[in-house]
Amino acid sequence: MFWTLFFLAHLLLGGAFVVFGIRNIKGIPGLASFLAGRKVAQPQAAASFGVGLQIVGGALTVLAPFVPFAGVLGGLALIVFLVLATLLFHPFWEFSGEEQKPHVQSFIMNSGLTGAFLLVIAYAL
């Protein structure tokens, strides 16, 4: 039973990032434009890097029950992605009132997902 739940957890957690990353490929120009507005150097490369982290990190997380250290690499990749996404796209401290609420929610969600990836890493060690 443990291994079934362990596999399903990795499949759902990593698979969601693979799906979102693939969907974000089409959105790279828009992401790059947003990042340019935030004064990020080489916004096209940064957007592509972020989408790559989503896809590769998600795939490694899915493979973690079967491939040694895939959980460590996938978890680290997605923690980096979540921290960067939160800082660049959801800086709730830059907003106030109603405009701040969705950014606070995204911050909390990304914090929880970071905790989930710390668990993925812990089980891989």
Side-chain angles (χ1 to χ4, degrees):
M1 183 65 157
F2 171 82
W3 288 106
T4 302
L5 295 174
F6 189 70
F7 171 71
L8 284 174
H10 282 80
L11 178 65
L12 293 171
L13 188 58
F17 279 85
V18 171
V19 170
F20 282 124
I22 290 169
R23 287 179 55 195
N24 281 339
I25 290 171
K26 292 181 194 173
I28 288 175
L31 294 168
S33 176
F34 179 85
L35 292 173
R38 302 277 298 162
K39 308 291 187 226
V40 172
Q42 301 184 10
Q44 182 75 25
S48 297
F49 177 74
V51 171
L53 278 177
Q54 279 184 295
I55 296 169
V56 172
L60 287 169
T61 300
V62 170
L63 294 173
F66 311 106
V67 179
F69 291 102
V72 173
L73 296 174
L76 287 174
L78 289 169
I79 288 171
V80 168
F81 170 79
L82 288 165
V83 168
L84 292 174
T86 301
L87 292 174
L88 293 169
F89 290 88
H90 304 293
F92 68 88
W93 52 90
E94 294 179 7
F95 300 93
S96 61
E98 289 297 314
E99 195 177 21
Q100 187 181 50
K101 287 181 181 181
H103 296 286
V104 170
Q105 290 171 344
S106 293
F107 177 86
I108 294 168
M109 180 183 63
N110 288 352
S111 297
L113 286 168
T114 297
F117 289 113
L118 288 172
L119 286 172
V120 169
I121 293 168
Y123 272 102
L125 294 176

